[in-house]
Amino acid sequence: MNTIPWDLVATIVVSVFGSGGLWRFLDHRSERKSIQTKLLIGIAHDRIWYLCGHYIERGGVTQSEFDNIEAIVTPYLKSGGNGTGKKLWLDLKKLPTITESAAREADAKLDLEQIQRIQQETGGGI
């Protein structure tokens, strides 16, 4: 009958858990995940800032735009996103829902206003 050499098993377990290599590996893995999480939160924050700012400036949001940004905001907030992203989201939720054609018209108007502003600032030329 084969018996398990418990003293050998105990030696291996203590060596593995006691070695700095395992803990260094786990710590590095945790640090890498933390950096990746921070990067994703940063990218989500950038999209929330840009999109919410655009829709707020426009004065309305389409249902598909709302659904899209909600898909970004929900995990962003659960992952520890900061207060500015949440504030923009809450401001966006107060906007009226507009049609796709109304959104295109409003965007075209904003683009034209921006071109006119640039022309004034540059003396008429772009």
Side-chain angles (χ1 to χ4, degrees):
M1 175 167 145
N2 291 336
T3 60
I4 299 174
W6 288 108
D7 54 339
L8 179 61
V9 171
T11 302
I12 292 171
V13 169
V14 168
S15 296
V16 168
F17 284 107
S19 72
L22 174 67
W23 299 115
R24 213 174 6 255
F25 169 76
L26 293 174
D27 187 45
H28 175 71
R29 200 171 144 196
S30 172
E31 180 182 328
R32 193 175 84 216
K33 183 178 180 185
S34 175
I35 290 169
Q36 289 172 338
T37 300
K38 288 177 184 177
L39 177 62
L40 287 173
I41 289 172
I43 292 169
H45 183 269
D46 177 69
R47 295 305 300 157
I48 293 164
W49 183 268
Y50 177 80
L51 293 173
C52 285
H54 176 71
Y55 304 146
I56 290 167
E57 182 181 16
R58 182 205 288 158
V61 61
T62 68
Q63 187 61 52
S64 62
E65 291 168 339
F66 184 88
D67 294 343
N68 176 58
I69 199 157
E70 184 176 38
I72 298 168
V73 167
T74 302
Y76 168 81
L77 294 175
K78 288 182 181 178
S79 298
N82 71 12
T84 57
K86 184 176 183 178
K87 182 190 178 319
L88 285 166
W89 170 241
L90 294 174
D91 290 345
L92 178 83
K93 289 173 74 172
K94 296 174 188 173
L95 292 177
T97 301
I98 60 175
T99 64
E100 296 288 337
S101 62
R104 283 191 297 276
E105 288 176 26
D107 287 343
K109 182 180 176 190
L110 287 172
D111 290 345
L112 182 59
E113 290 171 359
Q114 184 176 16
I115 289 169
Q116 291 170 342
R117 244 188 337 266
I118 291 169
Q119 287 176 334
Q120 287 177 341
E121 292 171 3
T122 60
I126 302 182

